[in-house]
Amino acid sequence: MQQAKDLPEALDAIGGRLREERVRAGISQRELARRLGLSASLISQLEGGVSKPSVGTLYAIVTELGVSLDSVIRGDESADETTPVIRTDSHGPSSPVVHPGERQAIDLDSGVRWEELTADKEEGVDFLHAIYEVGGASTPDESLMRHHGREYGYIVSGRLNIQIGFTEYHLEPGDSIAFDSTTPHRLFNTGAEPVHAIWFVVGREADARGH
């Protein structure tokens, strides 16, 4: 089990995991950049840990490479499914419980942090504690993102703006939302405090491409 003190090392490894998946798929940095409409230098910076991906860029990369967010966030823990991950706490061995200090996490560009809320890999489901810092956004340039699947969100604290197509919604604590992820959308925080939300994305891996 990965303890809280090990999380910074896990975050530093995100770029390396993206590089490993790209190499495994047999795609060059230049070709991946061409497919995604990005610059090869940006791909190099992301893989080298110099820059962090935005939510939109990360979704685009894992979709093009045909891998799950789980494999990028968890790394070797989810890659080797033949080796069970044993968690022992007050609930007993192989506990399904995840305590706050045990969450696998990734810090993204534009002030967004994702913390996984599942103990082990969940096929086809991203179950996340999403944190949008003041000024944080899923895309830094006000562009909209889209991907396969359906999203479900519940606002715990703060106020989150969500643009879906041409309509903008303002969510406050206690509000919830569900929408088709193939519709262009953007999540952003223009409030005075961080937004904490519980987020599900179901069916995103439907657009995973085999290589």
Side-chain angles (χ1 to χ4, degrees):
M1 177 179 68
Q2 186 173 28
Q3 300 296 327
K5 63 184 179 62
D6 297 323
L7 289 179
E9 181 179 347
L11 297 176
D12 292 342
I14 295 300
R17 291 171 190 157
L18 291 175
R19 180 176 60 251
E20 290 171 3
E21 296 295 348
R22 176 184 58 76
V23 172
R24 184 177 293 114
I27 304 174
S28 68
Q29 287 185 344
R30 187 174 298 278
E31 174 60 17
L32 179 60
R34 184 192 68 79
R35 295 184 185 185
L36 299 179
L38 303 173
S39 67
S41 63
L42 175 59
I43 297 298
S44 177
Q45 291 172 2
L46 294 177
E47 292 184 353
V50 177
S51 299
K52 299 175 183 177
S54 67
V55 173
T57 298
L58 181 60
Y59 266 128
I61 291 175
V62 296
T63 294
E64 187 61 42
L65 297 180
V67 299
S68 67
L69 283 176
D70 226 51
S71 63
V72 174
I73 297 177
R74 294 180 187 273
D76 293 339
E77 179 179 313
S78 65
D80 184 3
E81 296 182 3
T82 62
T83 303
V85 178
I86 305 299
R87 292 175 172 80
T88 303
D89 59 12
S90 59
H91 298 277
S94 301
S95 173
V97 176
V98 181
H99 300 291
E102 300 167 349
R103 295 173 188 161
Q104 304 289 326
I106 178 173
D107 287 311
L108 300 166
D109 191 22
S110 302
V112 181
R113 179 180 175 87
W114 282 345
E115 298 178 353
E116 288 205 335
L117 297 177
T118 51
D120 297 304
K121 184 174 181 180
E122 296 282 347
E123 289 291 344
V125 177
D126 299 325
F127 179 29
L128 307 165
H129 172 209
I131 303 169
Y132 285 77
E133 298 296 340
V134 175
S138 57
T139 56
D141 55 2
E142 299 189 2
S143 62
L144 303 181
M145 56 181 279
R146 58 184 298 178
H147 51 87
H148 281 277
R150 187 168 178 80
E151 302 192 28
Y152 303 84
Y154 174 83
I155 308 303
V156 177
S157 64
R159 291 171 172 79
L160 184 68
N161 296 338
I162 303 181
Q163 181 178 348
I164 304 175
F166 295 104
T167 305
E168 187 171 309
Y169 303 91
H170 306 276
L171 278 66
E172 300 188 351
D175 290 342
S176 58
I177 191 170
F179 60 93
D180 189 336
S181 304
T182 60
T183 303
H185 57 280
R186 180 173 185 261
L187 289 68
F188 55 103
N189 177 11
T190 58
E193 62 178 296
V195 172
H196 290 256
I198 304 301
W199 220 259
F200 286 89
V201 181
V202 181
R204 185 198 62 79
E205 293 184 3
D207 54 4
R209 307 174 188 181
H211 294 281

